[in-house]
Every structure is written in structure tokens, then in C-alpha cells.
Amino acid sequence: FIKADRGILLRAESLFGMGFGAADAAHVAFAESRGAALVSCDDRLMRKAESGPEVKISVRNPVVFCYEEGLI
């Protein structure tokens, strides 16, 4: 459980302003707050996250993530 603090909320608002959907912006903001990779099956989110420098974390497909982590 991660409590949403002001920084996370402001970051989510910023990402939303950059064209991320509300839920995607929240997920990215929470992951960024912990320096964690975000694993998603949403190709559009992955492309958006990788298309510019505004996202500070890795957003990966589950299969790619597992390969990168040596899980499979």
C-alpha cells in the first residue's frame, strides 16, 4: 500500500497534462515514487512512456520484463 502524497498527485496531474490517461498517469506516478518498473500489457501506454523523456521509469511488457529480470 502506497499512500498518495502531494508529490505523487502533482506528478500524476503533470503526466495527465502530457496526454496520459488518468489511470495511466496515476500508475506511472506511483511507480516513479518508488523507482519501480511498471509492468503492463497496454501497448499504447508503453509507447507513450518510451516516446519522450518525461517518464522516469521503465514500462515493460510482462514477457520482456521477465526476460530482463532473468525469470524465464
Side-chain angles (χ1 to χ4, degrees):
F1 178 80
I2 302 170
K3 186 175 181 174
D5 61 25
R6 183 165 173 75
I8 293 171
L9 295 174
L10 290 173
R11 179 63 175 150
E13 288 177 359
S14 174
L15 290 163
F16 182 75
M18 294 178 204
F20 285 83
D24 290 342
H27 288 125
V28 170
F30 274 101
E32 284 182 347
S33 77
R34 297 299 184 251
L38 180 61
V39 179
S40 176
C41 293
D42 186 338
D43 290 332
R44 190 171 49 196
L45 170 60
M46 287 183 280
R47 283 192 304 273
K48 178 80 175 157
E50 293 173 357
S51 69
E54 63 268 358
V55 175
K56 302 169 187 166
I57 57 161
S58 171
V59 180
R60 294 286 182 251
N61 171 289
V63 174
V64 172
F65 177 80
C66 287
Y67 273 112
E68 290 175 349
E69 295 296 315
L71 302 173
I72 54 175

